[in-house]
């Protein structure tokens, strides 16, 4: 027994010393100096080496999408590193197919800038900007979901497609020593160029939602960047199926504003899942859209509404609504937003209704 304890202590001591040596080497020896980053054979940046490519680009006001704040878990911060990226790390491989890896796709938050690099980044991502804004209002939609409106104060106009998202910055606050970004879908009309609205749910111990729900007040200054994402209404004649739960209503609300603004005639149904009537975020607005969008129907579905509440609408989950109301053999497209679990089961139901996978679009939150 004593021998085992001694061996464990020796191994722990050796690994601890190695980690210390590596940290010190990183701090004092591995000075990568100035590095040149060339983007799309055009834009040239001279940066200090040593940080992740994602944060290095951020410092240069070039914003790649990121929903996990650089933790290597969301897989959104991809770009092609044509030269200077070093070997692919085990933290990156789960996010790419063999072909993508062969095509030099990398996770920019996992790659450290250590030498000159050549990158390929889609032009529309290079158009993402940083915006300064002030909180115009904060409205409690439910106990745990807030609707916020940010008025842009730096003179810029924001140009986004309904359905896209921005990254909101939470500055350091008591209990969170570092600035962090998280993704939030724009919930307002893309016609508005000087303000955006977001719908943000509280996540226990979540860094950015704690900032929004417990530290942010009307009149405060905020900063966000974007827009990002390829979740937006495709131009076609197909019937539109919209599906969301909870805060997943955010990009759908923006798409509904687009349908209202453009008076889109396509038949559309929005299946919105909530627990009880009290959890139906923006319900009044959704019913009002039935009057202002030509062929739109709002179908809320409640999973935990008390039997004796007088609720005469649908009960169950959004997947039950898909089973009940979606007809087979019709030209249809689906747009969905919510938790990965909901999306996974809704995709299964939509495929049962013979809607091809390439006509099912979604953003997963979480
Ligand atoms: C494209 C995109 C758009 C998004 N749009 C919205 C939006 O419009 N409104 C919105 O409220 N959120 C949205 N999200 C989710 C958002 O980006 C954050 O993940 C979420 O707000 C939690 O951030 P946090 O910093 O508070 O929590 P973190 O500090 O990141 O997480 C704390 C802990 O909570 C867990 N966790 C994270 N998210 C959830 C969750 N949703 N439910 C339960 N546990 C969770 C984490 O795994 C972690 O353990 C979107 C995400 C993506 C990828
Ligand atoms: S920022 Fe999320 S994986 Fe890189």
């Amino acid at each position: 027994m004593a021998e085992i304890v001694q061996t464990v202590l020796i191994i722990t001591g050796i690994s601890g010393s190695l980690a210390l040596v590596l940290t010190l080497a990183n701090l004092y020896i591995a000075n990568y100096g100035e590095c040149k980053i060339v983007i799309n054979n055009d834009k040239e940046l001279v940066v200090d080496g040593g940080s992740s490519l994602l944060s290095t680009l951020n410092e240069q006001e070039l914003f790649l999408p990121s929903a996990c704040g650089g933790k290597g878990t969301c897989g959104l911060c991809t770009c092609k590193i044509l030269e200077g990226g070093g070997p692919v790390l085990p933290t990156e491989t789960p996010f790419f197919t063999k072909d993508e890896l062969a095509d030099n796709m990398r996770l920019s938050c996992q790659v450290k800038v250590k030498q000159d690099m050549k990158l390929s980044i889609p032009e529309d991502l290079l158009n993402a900007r940083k915006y300064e804004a002030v909180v115009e209002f904060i409205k409690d939609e439910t106990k745990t979901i807030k609707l916020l409106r940010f008025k842009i104060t730096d003179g810029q106009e924001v140009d986004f497609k309904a359905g896209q998202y921005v990254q909101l910055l939470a500055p350091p606050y008591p209990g969170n020593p570092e600035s962090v970004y998280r993704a939030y879908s724009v919930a307002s009309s893309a016609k508005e160029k000087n303000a955006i609205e977001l719908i943000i749910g509280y996540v226990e111990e979540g860094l950015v939602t704690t900032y929004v729900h417990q530290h942010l007040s009307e009149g405060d200054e905020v900063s966000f960047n974007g827009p990002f994402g390829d979740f937006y209404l495709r131009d076609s004649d197909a019937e539109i199926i919209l599906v969301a739960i909870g805060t997943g209503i955010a990009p759908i609300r923006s798409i509904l504003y687009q349908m209202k603004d453009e008076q889109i005639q396509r038949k559309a149904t929005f299946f919105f899942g909530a627990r009880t009537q009290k959890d139906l975020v923006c319900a009044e607005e959704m019913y009002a859209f039935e009057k202002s969008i030509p062929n739109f129907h709002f179908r809320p579905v409640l999973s935990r509404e008390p039997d004796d509440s007088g609720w005469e609408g649908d009960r169950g989950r959004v997947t039950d609504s898909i089973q009940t109301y979606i007809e087979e053999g019709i030209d249809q497209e689906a747009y969905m937003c919510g938790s990965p679990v909901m999306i996974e089961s809704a995709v299964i139901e939509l495929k049962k209704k013979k809607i091809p996978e390439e006509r099912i679009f979604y953003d997963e939150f979480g």
Side-chain angles (χ1 to χ4, degrees):
M1 184 66 186
E3 259 177 41
I4 294 174
V5 173
Q6 200 180 13
T7 315
V8 169
L9 285 176
I10 290 170
I11 291 172
T12 313
I14 292 173
S15 356
S17 314
L18 276 174
L20 184 67
V21 169
L22 280 174
T23 311
L24 290 174
N26 223 13
L27 277 176
Y28 298 108
I29 305 168
N31 177 2
Y32 303 106
E34 279 191 346
C35 303
K36 192 168 79 179
I37 301 182
V38 180
I39 301 170
N40 300 348
N41 272 331
D42 175 31
K43 200 176 172 67
E44 226 177 84
L45 310 170
V46 178
V47 301
D48 287 330
S51 301
S52 78
L53 178 59
L54 179 70
S55 54
T56 304
L57 291 175
N58 270 4
E59 275 162 28
Q60 301 291 318
E61 306 247 313
L62 288 175
F63 304 102
L64 294 183
S66 139
C68 70
K71 285 188 280 187
T73 54
C74 72
L76 291 176
C77 62
T78 59
C79 72
K80 277 189 199 174
I81 304 186
L82 308 172
E83 280 177 27
V88 177
L89 302 174
T91 44
E92 298 176 80
T93 45
F95 293 96
F96 300 108
T97 61
K98 270 187 185 163
D99 286 349
E100 286 170 336
L101 287 173
D103 200 22
N104 300 308
M105 293 294 287
R106 304 288 300 267
L107 282 188
S108 65
C109 71
Q110 300 299 298
V111 177
K112 217 178 207 186
V113 178
K114 295 180 178 174
Q115 55 189 310
D116 291 352
M117 297 175 111
K118 282 193 176 171
L119 314 179
S120 167
I121 299 177
E123 286 296 331
D124 58 333
L125 286 185
L126 297 178
N127 291 333
R129 300 261 172 282
K130 185 177 181 194
Y131 297 89
E132 304 300 332
V134 67
V135 183
E136 205 173 309
F137 68 71
I138 301 180
K139 185 178 164 221
D140 287 320
E141 280 290 330
T142 72
K143 269 189 187 168
T144 55
I145 297 180
K146 288 183 190 290
L147 170 69
L148 303 102
R149 184 174 169 87
F150 299 160
K151 191 166 173 45
I152 296 167
T153 50
D154 60 11
Q156 297 186 89
E157 294 200 326
V158 63
D159 199 9
F160 66 96
K161 285 187 194 148
Q164 287 192 300
Y165 67 94
V166 296
Q167 295 179 151
L168 177 64
L169 177 80
Y173 61 84
N176 173 41
E178 284 182 352
S179 295
V180 272
Y181 281 102
R182 293 287 182 273
Y184 294 99
S185 305
V186 182
S188 44
S189 165
K191 249 177 56 175
E192 274 199 89
K193 301 288 180 204
N194 60 2
I196 59 162
E197 290 174 10
L198 304 180
I199 294 174
I200 301 186
Y202 177 64
V203 170
E204 215 170 310
E205 297 189 5
L207 291 179
V208 176
T209 56
T210 299
Y211 158 70
V212 167
H213 279 252
Q214 293 174 9
H215 298 269
L216 196 62
S217 308
E218 290 177 358
D220 283 356
E221 288 173 1
V222 284
S223 164
F224 65 88
N225 62 50
F228 302 107
D230 51 13
F231 183 71
Y232 55 85
L233 192 62
R234 273 36 180 196
D235 191 11
S236 84
D237 293 327
E239 220 178 276
I240 301 166
I241 300 163
L242 304 159
V243 182
I245 55 169
T247 51
I249 194 173
I252 305 292
R253 183 177 183 256
S254 186
I255 288 175
L256 290 171
Y257 272 114
Q258 177 191 354
M259 294 178 67
K260 177 183 162 194
D261 294 340
E262 297 176 10
Q263 283 296 289
I264 290 177
Q265 304 287 323
R266 293 159 65 181
K267 187 177 170 204
T269 311
F270 177 24
F271 301 104
F272 183 40
R275 289 152 70 101
T276 67
Q277 287 188 68
K278 281 187 195 149
D279 304 307
L280 282 175
V281 183
C282 304
E284 273 178 34
E285 260 182 305
M286 296 301 123
Y287 287 117
F289 279 134
E290 287 195 318
K291 298 199 175 79
S292 58
I293 302 174
N295 282 308
F296 170 66
H297 295 284
F298 177 48
R299 280 208 166 273
V301 52
L302 304 180
S303 59
R304 303 225 183 138
E305 178 69 6
D307 288 341
D308 57 359
S309 72
W311 171 253
E312 289 178 357
D314 294 323
R315 289 174 184 268
R317 299 185 180 277
V318 283
T319 41
D320 301 321
S321 299
I322 294 173
Q323 279 172 11
T324 310
Y325 295 109
I326 304 292
E327 287 176 54
E328 268 181 49
I330 295 176
D331 183 21
Q332 299 175 103
E333 272 170 6
Y335 297 85
M336 307 197 288
C337 230
S339 66
V341 176
M342 181 283 271
I343 301 279
E344 195 184 330
S345 18
V347 168
I348 292 171
E349 292 307 323
L350 290 166
K351 281 185 174 168
K352 283 188 200 160
K353 298 285 182 179
K354 308 276 184 297
I355 301 181
E357 202 158 357
E358 62 275 13
R359 306 201 76 182
I360 304 174
F361 307 96
Y362 53 82
D363 254 356
E364 290 177 342
F365 292 5

